[in-house]
């Protein structure tokens, strides 16, 4: 019974952390986190050594959903080019949602500024996964320099995420067109 209670408390903390950190930033306090989760600080500290660990765990928990949201199923996109462009199409669609505030992993990296922070490691892993996704499909599509193209696509993705999340820019086909230009220049089929 205690294991179930702890799992429930853990889930509530991670759900609240994901919501608050994404909406309000990483500087939220432990009291606000615990109040939103409906758990005591004592319970939080029994599960996690610090708020930093809660943030890292909440980001790690988001990774599978993030990957599934952005990367198409192999059957959804027939060519490497289509698989890459699909990421930008999905980004543009996500950016139109009222609650969209950009990439949560990029936001954590920018806000934390500490490469040693446990959440920074998780966020870098998510960004590394995305770059690897781009590189793999760029290579499969015949890019002249898959690593360079993956880096360029990451700049477009992160820049578009940040600008649209801050409501400075609407994407309206902008990232797809930009990615298409990069793919054309790199020779990706």
């Amino acid at each position: 019974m205690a294991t179930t209670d702890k799992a429930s408390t853990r889930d509530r903390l991670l759900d609240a952390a994901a919501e608050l950190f994404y909406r309000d930033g990483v500087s939220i306090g432990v009291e606000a986190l615990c109040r939103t989760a409906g758990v005591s600080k004592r319970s939080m500290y029994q599960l996690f050594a610090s708020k930093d660990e809660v943030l890292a765990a909440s980001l790690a928990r988001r990774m599978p959903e993030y990957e599934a949201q952005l990367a198409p199923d192999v059957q959804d996109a027939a060519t490497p080019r289509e698989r890459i462009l699909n990421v930008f199409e999905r980004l543009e669609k996500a950016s139109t949602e009222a609650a969209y505030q950009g990439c949560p992993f990029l936001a954590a990296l920018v806000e934390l500024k500490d490469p040693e922070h446990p959440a920074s490691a998780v966020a870098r892993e998510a960004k590394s996964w995305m770059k690897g996704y781009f590189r793999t499909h760029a290579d499969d599509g015949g890019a002249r320099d898959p690593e360079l193209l993956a880096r360029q696509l990451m700049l477009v993705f992160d820049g578009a995420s940040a600008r649209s999340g801050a409501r400075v820019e609407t994407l309206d086909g902008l990232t797809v067109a930009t990615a298409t230009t990069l793919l054309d220049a790199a020779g990706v089929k």
Side-chain angles (χ1 to χ4, degrees), residues 69-86:
Q69 177 187 10
L70 292 173
D73 193 349
V74 174
Q75 280 82 0
D76 290 347
T79 67
R81 180 186 186 92
E82 290 170 341
R83 290 183 187 125
I84 291 169
L85 288 175
N86 190 271

Side-chain angles (χ1 to χ4, degrees), residues 57-73:
S58 73
L59 284 174
R61 188 174 184 219
R62 280 186 94 154
M63 281 182 60
E65 177 187 335
Y66 176 76
E67 292 170 4
Q69 177 187 10
L70 292 173
D73 193 349

